Amino acid sequence: MPMTPLNVTHPFLDADGDKLREECGIFGAINAADASAATALGLHALQHRGQEAAGIVSWDGKEFFVRRGLGHVAENFSSPEAIAELPGHMAAGHVRYSTTGGSGLRNVQPLYADLASGGFAVAHNGNISNAMMLRADLVGKGSIFQSTSDTEVIIHLVATSRYPTIADRLVDALRLVEGAYALIVMTPEGMIACRDPLGIRPLVMGRMGESILFASETVAFDVVGAEVIREVEPGELVLVDFSGEIRSVRPFGNPSPRPCIFEHVYFSRPDSVFAGRSVYEARKAIGAQLALEAPCEADLVVPVPDSGVPAAIGFAQQSGIPFELGIIRSHYVGRTFIQPSDGARHSSVKRKHNANRSLVEGKRIVLIDDSIVRGTTSLKIVEMMREAGAAEVHFRVASPPTAHSCFYGVDTPERSKLLAARMELEPMRQFIKADSLAFISIDGLYRAVGHEGRDAVRPQFCDACFTGDYPTSLTDLAQTEQKSAELPFADPKAA
Amino acid sequence: MPMTPLNVTHPFLDADGDKLREECGIFGAINAADASAATALGLHALQHRGQEAAGIVSWDGKEFFVRRGLGHVAENFSSPEAIAELPGHMAAGHVRYSTTGGSGLRNVQPLYADLASGGFAVAHNGNISNAMMLRADLVGKGSIFQSTSDTEVIIHLVATSRYPTIADRLVDALRLVEGAYALIVMTPEGMIACRDPLGIRPLVMGRMGESILFASETVAFDVVGAEVIREVEPGELVLVDFSGEIRSVRPFGNPSPRPCIFEHVYFSRPDSVFAGRSVYEARKAIGAQLALEAPCEADLVVPVPDSGVPAAIGFAQQSGIPFELGIIRSHYVGRTFIQPSDGARHSSVKRKHNANRSLVEGKRIVLIDDSIVRGTTSLKIVEMMREAGAAEVHFRVASPPTAHSCFYGVDTPERSKLLAARMELEPMRQFIKADSLAFISIDGLYRAVGHEGRDAVRPQFCDACFTGDYPTSLTDLAQTEQKSAELPFADPKAA
Amino acid sequence: MPMTPLNVTHPFLDADGDKLREECGIFGAINAADASAATALGLHALQHRGQEAAGIVSWDGKEFFVRRGLGHVAENFSSPEAIAELPGHMAAGHVRYSTTGGSGLRNVQPLYADLASGGFAVAHNGNISNAMMLRADLVGKGSIFQSTSDTEVIIHLVATSRYPTIADRLVDALRLVEGAYALIVMTPEGMIACRDPLGIRPLVMGRMGESILFASETVAFDVVGAEVIREVEPGELVLVDFSGEIRSVRPFGNPSPRPCIFEHVYFSRPDSVFAGRSVYEARKAIGAQLALEAPCEADLVVPVPDSGVPAAIGFAQQSGIPFELGIIRSHYVGRTFIQPSDGARHSSVKRKHNANRSLVEGKRIVLIDDSIVRGTTSLKIVEMMREAGAAEVHFRVASPPTAHSCFYGVDTPERSKLLAARMELEPMRQFIKADSLAFISIDGLYRAVGHEGRDAVRPQFCDACFTGDYPTSLTDLAQTEQKSAELPFADPKAA
Amino acid sequence: MPMTPLNVTHPFLDADGDKLREECGIFGAINAADASAATALGLHALQHRGQEAAGIVSWDGKEFFVRRGLGHVAENFSSPEAIAELPGHMAAGHVRYSTTGGSGLRNVQPLYADLASGGFAVAHNGNISNAMMLRADLVGKGSIFQSTSDTEVIIHLVATSRYPTIADRLVDALRLVEGAYALIVMTPEGMIACRDPLGIRPLVMGRMGESILFASETVAFDVVGAEVIREVEPGELVLVDFSGEIRSVRPFGNPSPRPCIFEHVYFSRPDSVFAGRSVYEARKAIGAQLALEAPCEADLVVPVPDSGVPAAIGFAQQSGIPFELGIIRSHYVGRTFIQPSDGARHSSVKRKHNANRSLVEGKRIVLIDDSIVRGTTSLKIVEMMREAGAAEVHFRVASPPTAHSCFYGVDTPERSKLLAARMELEPMRQFIKADSLAFISIDGLYRAVGHEGRDAVRPQFCDACFTGDYPTSLTDLAQTEQKSAELPFADPKAA
């Protein structure tokens, strides 16, 4: 295999699905009798945050143990043998969406290193926006990188820090880092969970008897029977040792939090609680708000399954139009099939979604989807409804137009491929061939998730994908852009 | 591996899920430019009918080609290389639920044999209820079996028939066979599709340009862009040759059809049309009928996902109680995980289903499920609702009590494990700990699927799992029972 | 994969090595505490008789167990787990050289079938020369074949025989069979070992305490610590039951034996005893005879390793010329490597054999090899010696010219590719570029293995590869030849 | 898997064979059209130096490519696909004997790192005897190690060196290193081959047209058709760039060379030339010297195959006693088999070596082996000869008693398991149950390889395994010994 080039910051992966994708989920447990079994279950509940690889590291009081694999958690961590390889009362794990090419397992987290202070393992959700610059500095001084992951920068910064304690070395490292991170760190002294100063990526803390747990979403606690304590706060480090003592440190002052609002729109599971609010209720409220902002005459409210379902229920309840399954989703998807050459049109969408023809025929329908990214899937779904005989197809979107790339750990198409970056509302409607098209307003979205609207001075969330208002500087991108002025759509800040 | 014992008839497999399971789906295409690619897509759309193994056989005018694999269709047949191994304009395939132990691939269909007349491939959905008796006869005369599949009996009967044409030999073989079968047969002369005289298992016929297709369900035609022609009728053989000529033969007279009513309840996909009726509409009608027969006061109608959703929508629309997702289903299930020993109760159900606690807390809920088999899952779901704070939990079931095993190709627990075979309604309610429990009546079910009620003299469907009224004799079972009088619940006929 | 065509008789496989290859070794043990462990070890000692696949079947008094694998015995049968899958006091196994294409494991022996009389397993060394004709008959009557192996014909003949006992049915079957076979058969009543009436392929009988063993060569008894009893005689069936009773049956009269003389030349291991004589001593005697028949002036006797070594020692001792390792053989061969395009000549031979340049330079050498098949390897070895600086290269061959194909279970190139079928002695010498070339005479060979010469009326061995004198009729070949008169070299009979 | 502990220096692996084992072979090619194909072939010819893992790194002018695998070269590098993954005109590879536990592929060489100066790959044969100390220093300053290999120390020393050019940085690193090394290094500027100041491990330089090659033994050049230029000299760095320029640097002054004398005894292939002398001739000379030093009356000279063969030929020619194959070696060994419990004695040796009973019976034999390590195999072979009926068994060893461990890259049992470290000559004879036993003298060995005897002041070879005279300090071992005074046999220096 080729030595893969560095791919630490640039988010322009070619997504073959037509969704933004959360790139990671993390989970940790300390002082737990079966730390790695709990971690495996917790990761399984976070599987929607990353399906391509999973890893767990455990510590048994003397040694660290590691196991990583491509594929789902269940394929790698469901057997007694796998769990037996991960003994001890402390463990942390990671699921990730993408592994770049063949370099495969090297980039699967948690990353691990032998430092002078002992073993050091880290699981990271997010993206460091000055990783390329930091890496070049470290390599220049003699550091040798094992992976192409931005996360490894943090480890080398810790390894070369001159502070005496591991906690101080971690803070020293994080002061140099810019971007989004929720981290779970393990050392021979215990577990450290922390979130970047703006809290862009989520991290919650739970308890099960004596054990302390950390996870990207509360649903991971449900599956292991634990209770939620609270969120790890933006800019906070929570340190838990093996005596059970818990300390909280806030070395970065008190910036205003900016958690990612797309967790409410799409990333989190509906049965999670995020930023103090039930995600299911938030999505229903978005659907209801959408029905108020953009009502329409129709016979059926049809969700694009599965992510559009809660918003569709909210829309149906607000509007009084019946909620019906006009599109049936197959649970057996995944790979691209060879297409027969004759006559089979659009079957790649059909494999996943099939029109419920008997229901749809002759009806006016309102389709509800969570977002429009490239628009290609939306077009195919509208066409599928029309082929099934729908009289009218109205499209309502449970988020504002997605017009900007994310640089904080979400897999986004490059900006030139985002439909909303390329055209205004009416051309979008024509592109997807709907009879009408409406998005929720940005203020409507903030209202649906519990605020009075967006605070333009101090926005309560990171909503850069809608507004282009990036809450941190983007050092690596700036350098890349200087080199590649030919990119048709310069993305942030200056715009 | 041990030479596996014969397992042709007895349906008492230990199902680790708590559902009846359709054991097979079949698909065939003739005079199609890309017969095997179409077959792969068609099988993929039938994946819900069998997830453990898949196989395709093709014919290129000179040779037969075969490829079989354990696992899903997508894992075995999505690549260009796999399809390239299956050239030709005729192909047929099979997905199956269970493979008995290690003998694995030998039992994966379509089965194939070199007969004196040339190659012969067969894909079979159903179960032959006198296979053990026929097999003993054949072995006594010198036939050597390759698999433990009941389907192989049909091949040996064809091989040893003394009729001159392959069609006559097949009819000769089927006259000796008792039970349920939908078959797709391939020979160097063309394709033969047929259904047992009662039409217990489904089979439909479609067209895409010049190509003629057969499939277990209409949804398989949607995915390849084909149109439905009609059902293959009970007792009918449809013969298609390479000139495109289609002949229909009905060698078994005109018995009254008895298709399996459980296709409407659970087996078929909601976007299929079965026995002339949309399955989605049938399920909604069942839910509405259930709301009429067994109404209750409640705040929310909650489906047990995903199979309970259409009936729940019907129940909600009929009753006026809001439809809500009180249970969130994970799409990442599959294997059994090691359980942490401390504190994690019921997590095997929780991995699959999680209570939407914020929604359910303090509410009176009506749970809608398609059926109750052993009752163990129903109990866990009721308990999960109560732990999430539900004030009352009412359970409504979209089918009559399942009190008898199926011997026609459906994987059923042995009768002594069926909750409805063990107890009356009130003990069942106590067992699952619901505040109330109701099943749809058998006549209600028939009305929901479009009849005026069950015709007691000539029932319109096979409903043996509810009524114990088996439409064929069960030769092998009778012999087995003579040998094993100790079985606590003697199943059919005599009862 | 394609349904592989029948390949029961035709020996014209394309051998990538330049040797005749024995196609099988067989081993069986009955009344042995660890029958399958002993069989694994015994097969391992017979590994030189077939490296591509191995299988063992055992019987534990109630059931048969089977395990087969591609590759070496050690890869498939060395672990406790593998042996634990094969319980019981009776086992038999098989190693084979070739598996035809993808149909792979189906053809790996022992073959097994459930007959009306119970299980029936058979391991076969040899080749049935009327298998195609018998198979066509059987299929015409309704038999369905599982493999493309000629051995399966025997099983179907047994299955359809109308005699009452299994021994009678086996004799009934063998009466119809023509060609070469050493068989080890297992039934629930015990083990049957037998050899064709001419005893073309070898089979010996041994004892270890209570256990009776059968093997292709005596070396297999050495490795398990057993002692040799005697050969199974040509045309003899030896029946051993679980009480330890041994019966001998000779249903085919008393034809003169014709064991394969190539076992002495090349197939058997030098530490085996074949036809009453040490193979090592026989080979040394061949070398000595060759030194008498074709002496030459030289500085060194150099064996082509490893098979030429004993004859070279014999030649050196007889001639007084020193024995030296002028060619070093690598033990790590196997696959074909990509060749660098520049400058690397003949490296495929060099990977296996390398000239010992310091020794050879400036010397006159006598090369000793066991046989010449196509001549291509001989040419490369002569060239290698010259490149290493040899002053003269004389080639002496420890067998007569190989001018005819074998149809009795030995993998031979088709006749048109045999060097000795294409040209006389002097052109052969020119082809391989040797300074002189000589083969042992046919009478010299017979003398070296203990006779006074070849008995032209009743030859003591099968030597058809040298003489074209085939001791049985070759039914299938005759039919094939009628169909393919275009084959440039018609092989036997007419000659 | 556990994080494997550092295992850089201690050689006390438990060898299941009873031989010293060379741990590595290396090969490199620059300015070669098919560099990686040539490297694959070259490594294949060096396979005897390491069978457990192999790796190749190539450079195509822009990028480095790497492929590593467990097992033989042929299993990993024989296919066109494998070679196609390794494009370019420069490549280097490595075969190794042992991979420590599960960490497997991480330790397979060539190791690779991205340095500030660009990619850096290194293949190393030998062992660094202060690696643990150097590693602790590096980790303390922030270096993060990826493997447990001592070789990685060299890379980090290069990465953190402050010299400007890569050649200077490498010299700077090697000045800190103590022990044995032959290295092939690749950088974007070209290839560097070097040998430690004493030249303990071998390295030769060759040419094939424009290409320059390096290899552990000359036999690797034979297989690719290249010619030998000369040895890389002890303490020399040879630098080859892409213009074809070759520079030689000698930064370590001129210490007396001490190449490993065991290369002549056992490690090198007999067709290699080492230290200016044919290995085959050296071994024959050792056998002849042994016949002079320790003659005996006998009927046969029997080599323990295969390594004893050249010395046995030398012994036979000197003594006039016939050379015969009294032991037949199987080419199919490898794994340990389950042993049948009844009656099978010593079969693990018998699987590999079998007595040629017909030859040995009643004879007085001289057994010739290259060395005695633990003595357990020697005992079994003597017993095997006696069981086969030998009248007398005399044992002659082609090296002096092996009484000390090697710390320079050879896998040796710990000293307490070396037979010659535990007892004098007569007890050794009794232990192996021979009628007589003799080893060649140390001076006799030096004479056989071309010297007048061992120069006690400035020994011409490293012979520490015989004499305990280690030519370098052993820093890590000294530290380990301070910690573990309980080891029964303290090894070097102080003794």
Side-chain angles (χ1 to χ4, degrees), chain D residues 404-456:
Chain D
H404 303 271
S405 298
C406 178
F407 297 89
Y408 300 124
V410 172
D411 180 31
T412 343
E414 58 176 294
R415 207 187 158 201
S416 62
K417 294 194 175 142
L418 295 172
L419 192 67
R422 293 169 51 209
M423 52 182 82
E424 299 297 318
L425 185 66
E426 171 59 18
M428 282 198 265
R429 186 198 62 75
Q430 291 172 18
F431 179 87
I432 68 169
K433 300 188 179 169
D435 292 297
S436 72
L437 168 66
F439 293 83
I440 194 170
S441 66
I442 185 82
D443 275 316
L445 174 60
Y446 273 73
R447 272 193 291 278
V449 302
H451 294 268
E452 294 196 4
R454 184 179 196 261
D455 179 340

Side-chain angles (χ1 to χ4, degrees), chain C residues 87-287:
Chain C
H89 293 183
M90 178 170 71
H94 191 271
V95 290
R96 72 187 263 118
Y97 163 60
S98 61
T99 59
T100 321
S103 67
L105 284 173
R106 295 230 159 182
N107 282 327
V108 178
Q109 299 200 8
L111 297 186
Y112 175 85
D114 277 313
L115 305 188
S117 56
F120 183 92
V122 60
H124 171 211
N125 178 16
N127 191 64
I128 299 173
S129 55
N130 64 339
M132 277 166 59
M133 188 202 73
L134 293 171
R135 181 169 169 143
D137 277 2
L138 285 159
V139 169
K141 286 170 186 142
S143 292
I144 296 176
F145 277 66
Q146 307 183 28
S147 74
T148 56
S149 158
D150 60 328
T151 307
E152 193 179 347
V153 165
I154 297 174
I155 301 183
H156 284 280
L157 289 173
V158 170
T160 54
S161 170
R162 280 164 304 182
Y163 281 82
T165 71
I166 194 75
D168 286 345
R169 294 166 84 147
L170 179 59
V171 171
D172 186 33
L174 295 179
R175 282 193 203 284
L176 295 164
V177 157
E178 143 201 318
Y181 51 85
L183 301 177
I184 299 176
V185 167
M186 295 195 293
T187 78
E189 293 163 30
M191 182 169 276
I192 306 172
C194 64
R195 239 170 131 191
D196 66 75
L198 301 173
I200 296 175
R201 300 259 65 88
L203 193 59
V204 289
M205 183 173 173
R207 178 192 307 278
M208 177 169 60
E210 302 291 295
S211 314
I212 296 298
L213 311 169
F214 298 97
S216 297
E217 293 183 35
T218 62
V219 73
F221 298 155
D222 292 348
V223 83
V224 298
E227 62 185 319
V228 180
I229 303 177
R230 61 171 176 87
E231 297 206 347
V232 175
E233 293 183 14
E236 181 187 15
L237 281 78
V238 179
L239 301 92
V240 189
D241 69 16
F242 296 110
S243 72
E245 193 190 354
I246 303 174
R247 285 189 303 136
S248 168
V249 180
R250 270 164 231 263
F252 307 112
N254 282 305
S256 301
R258 302 273 307 262
C260 168
I261 201 165
F262 222 87
E263 294 284 345
H264 266 317
V265 170
Y266 176 73
F267 297 146
S268 285
R269 260 176 59 163
D271 42 346
S272 278
V273 174
F274 171 68
R277 187 169 172 84
S278 152
V279 173
Y280 179 77
E281 293 299 342
R283 286 182 193 165
K284 274 187 60 187
I286 292 169

Side-chain angles (χ1 to χ4, degrees), chain D residues 40 113 125-126 150 163 166 193 198 232 256 268 286 325 356 365 374 485:
Chain D
N125 178 16
D150 61 326
Y163 281 82
I166 195 74
L198 302 172
V232 174
S256 302
S268 284
I286 292 169
L325 300 187
N356 190 348
I365 65 173
R374 299 165 183 233

